[in-house]
Amino acid sequence: MQRVWVVVLSVWAMLAIVAVLAWSSRPSQPLPAASAQTVIVKGHGGKQRLVVLKAPAHATTATSAAVHG
Amino acid sequence: MTALHRTEWRAVGTTCAAAVTAGQEDEREVAWALAAAQEEVAACERELSRFDPTSDLSRLNDADGRWVYVGSRLLEALCLALRAREETGGRFDPTVLPALAAAGYDRSFELLEERPAEEANGWRAGTAVELDERHGRARLEAGSAVDLGGIGKGYAAGRALAAMRAAAPTAGGGLVDLGGDIAVSGESPEGGPWLIAVADPRRVGETLAVLALEGGGVATSGRNARRFGPALSLHHLIDPETGESALGGPLTVTVAAPDPVAAEVNATTLAIAGPGEAADYVAARPHLSALYVPHAGPAIPLGRLPLVTERLVVRAAA
């Protein structure tokens, strides 16, 4: 009978540990869904019109302000 | 559901970012991939930085003509840089460091002090760099020194992207951005190409164009940042023909190429070229495209630039 109680308590202890771990290590949150971006596009003769991109850019290229190797 | 998992950190003297397209259930693989990218960039910096006196490159530059055992990344980067010197007819030259230091750019940019430029005594372009890949060592001509500033970030971005792919083989795509030197592969989280904004060098915070990249790299070089010397009259773009800060060339130029090394090398090369020379250069290399931004007047697209819109974006609205 004592062995049964040991097994039952061990199982409950293990479940408790798993629950604590699952609660404490939350999955990393992906970035929220990106909203559309409106850009003004210059056509021939300087005429401007609006263009809606489905998503904003994922990164920006520019001259870096400082450089190493 | 597929989403963009992204991390940012400081390295190679700038802000870096890595991003992976993956499902929520791939959490562990995503974490490995992003960590792998950061570790690879750190490993490249340990070998390639000229501002770290303990780096492999610094040991090579200080060796006064002797053979030096170096890491595989530096050996490969030197090999690529020498190939680029050959392919650009010397317009890209990794051995301009003595001229760059004489101009005043002799330490990390944020530590520069104002002083007049000096003559780069005895410096000449195209000095010898010998590579012994079998034994993992390199040797510079005595008095010569190498700067990998025009290739190093593109090289590191490509390697970091490869490390991410190896760590997360089931991920849909990846992006590595090292201060504007960008490498992409696979699909964006929206399922199509990666959208890369080109910053407007004349209007801080605004976008000049948006490029759609399905793979490869994009890089921007120019003289709108990192100016130094008396009245900020000097910049880091050395013309190998004169050994001085280049006089001609655009405000900035952005290059898209099949790989990030080609993008950075050719951006560096075109950053000292006039508009006509740049147009001829890109026309002779169909794998390249560029956005050439002169000091005044409209930006000039060169080659088959993968613009999202059919005309250049002149202003981005929130």
Side-chain angles (χ1 to χ4, degrees):
Chain A
M1 190 64 189
Q2 194 180 4
R3 285 182 65 185
V4 172
W5 278 112
V6 167
V7 169
V8 169
L9 285 173
S10 300
V11 169
W12 275 103
M14 197 166 67
L15 286 172
I17 291 169
V18 168
V20 167
L21 286 175
W23 181 79
S24 60
S25 66
R26 292 176 183 171
S28 66
Q29 294 297 311
L31 296 180
S35 56
Q37 185 184 37
T38 306
V39 292
I40 300 170
V41 177
K42 195 174 186 178
H44 285 301
K47 192 178 173 184
Q48 294 191 348
R49 63 188 177 83
L50 291 176
V51 171
V52 178
L53 300 177
K54 285 180 184 169
H58 302 107
T60 299
T61 181
T63 312
S64 58
V67 68
H68 282 196
Chain B
M1 190 186 114
T2 302
L4 187 67
H5 304 258
R6 180 184 160 96
T7 188
E8 269 191 20
W9 75 104
R10 291 282 302 176
V12 291
T14 190
T15 302
C16 304
V20 180
T21 299
Q24 297 250 37
E25 67 281 8
D26 304 322
E27 182 194 339
R28 182 174 293 183
E29 214 172 72
V30 165
W32 284 341
L34 298 179
Q38 293 186 56
E39 177 50 40
E40 183 55 42
V41 172
C44 286
E45 190 170 19
R46 282 194 295 272
E47 293 190 28
L48 272 55
S49 174
R50 76 173 168 102
F51 301 110
D52 174 2
T54 66
S55 74
D56 288 20
L57 180 60
S58 292
R59 290 192 298 108
L60 180 63
N61 281 338
D62 293 340
D64 199 27
R66 293 186 299 275
W67 283 102
V68 174
Y69 289 96
V70 296
S72 58
R73 292 173 181 82
L74 178 55
L75 211 53
E76 186 181 29
L78 285 170
C79 184
L80 292 168
L82 293 176
R83 192 181 304 162
R85 180 164 77 180
E86 199 176 314
E87 287 172 358
T88 62
R91 299 293 281 164
F92 173 88
D93 189 345
T95 64
V96 295
L97 181 54
L100 192 57
Y105 194 1
D106 55 357
R107 64 202 72 184
S108 189
F109 183 78
E110 59 274 20
L111 303 175
L112 290 182
E113 296 165 354
E114 186 171 311
R115 69 164 172 83
E118 298 166 357
E119 287 278 320
N121 288 331
W123 178 80
R124 59 187 167 78
T127 52
V129 180
E130 291 178 79
L131 304 180
D132 178 0
E133 292 179 68
R134 190 171 162 212
H135 297 102
R137 57 186 192 157
R139 179 168 69 173
L140 306 182
E141 190 177 317
S144 177
V146 161
D147 171 42
L148 294 173
I151 192 172
K153 290 210 296 295
Y155 175 75
R159 283 199 64 109
L161 188 66
M164 284 207 313
R165 277 204 304 262
T170 63
L175 175 150
V176 174
D177 175 3
L178 305 184
D181 286 272
I182 296 165
V184 298
S185 71
E187 289 190 334
S188 74
E190 294 79 26
W194 293 91
L195 301 179
I196 309 298
V198 180
D200 189 335
R202 298 173 192 152
R203 298 180 187 87
V204 176
E206 297 205 4
T207 299
L208 184 64
V210 179
L211 309 179
L213 286 190
E214 295 187 342
V218 61
T220 298
S221 185
R223 60 200 69 189
N224 59 323
R226 280 182 277 143
R227 300 193 71 95
F228 56 91
L232 300 179
S233 59
L234 301 171
H235 56 81
H236 69 294
L237 296 165
I238 298 293
D239 185 343
E241 282 188 9
T242 63
E244 297 174 354
S245 287
L247 294 175
L251 184 59
T252 64
V253 62
T254 297
V255 172
D259 71 86
V261 168
E264 189 178 10
V265 161
N266 287 292
T268 305
T269 304
L270 290 176
I272 60 171
E277 187 187 350
D280 292 344
Y281 185 92
V282 174
R285 295 163 176 81
H287 61 290
L288 300 180
S289 59
L291 185 60
Y292 187 97
V293 185
H295 292 267
I300 307 165
L302 301 172
R304 295 168 67 89
L305 196 65
L307 286 165
V308 168
T309 52
E310 71 272 30
R311 300 277 172 235
L312 294 182
V313 174
V314 293
R315 191 158 63 83

